[in-house]
Amino acid sequence: MELIDRYLQAMKMALPKAQQDDVIRELTDEILSQVEEQEAALGRPLTEDEQVALLKQLGHPVQVASRYRKQQYLIGPVVFPIYW
């Protein structure tokens, strides 16, 4: 589980401080349930390569964390038509 813990730690650093604990708790539950499902289907613990494959399906930690951030624009949607 060290690999999953490192993945979640990398994601936590990219999350807004106010949401870190809630989001990490939610994602931990989701990841662990997927691990349990795969282990039950295989009848054995997941190998490190299988854990890597599972985490790759989720996406890069920073990319996943960006879904929880407030949308920021270089040029806001109100001004963009004028700029264009």
Side-chain angles (χ1 to χ4, degrees):
M1 292 297 173
E2 181 182 330
L3 186 63
I4 294 171
D5 293 335
R6 289 192 328 227
Y7 179 87
L8 291 169
Q9 186 63 31
M11 187 178 303
K12 186 175 183 176
M13 290 188 293
L15 288 168
K17 288 213 182 277
Q19 296 177 315
Q20 284 179 346
D21 293 333
D22 293 335
V23 172
I24 293 300
R25 199 172 313 120
E26 176 185 320
L27 290 172
T28 301
D29 291 341
E30 180 181 329
I31 292 170
L32 292 180
S33 68
Q34 289 179 15
V35 167
E36 288 174 1
E37 287 175 13
Q38 288 187 4
E39 288 178 343
L42 295 171
R44 60 175 172 76
L46 292 180
T47 64
E48 188 170 327
D49 290 337
E50 291 168 336
Q51 289 180 17
V52 169
L54 176 79
L55 296 176
K56 280 186 178 182
Q57 287 178 349
L58 292 174
H60 193 278
V62 175
Q63 182 183 20
V64 175
S66 70
R67 297 178 195 151
Y68 294 93
R69 289 189 145 307
K70 181 181 170 189
Q71 186 70 27
Q72 294 179 342
Y73 302 99
L74 184 59
I75 299 174
V78 174
V79 180
F80 185 73
I82 298 167
Y83 172 77
W84 189 255

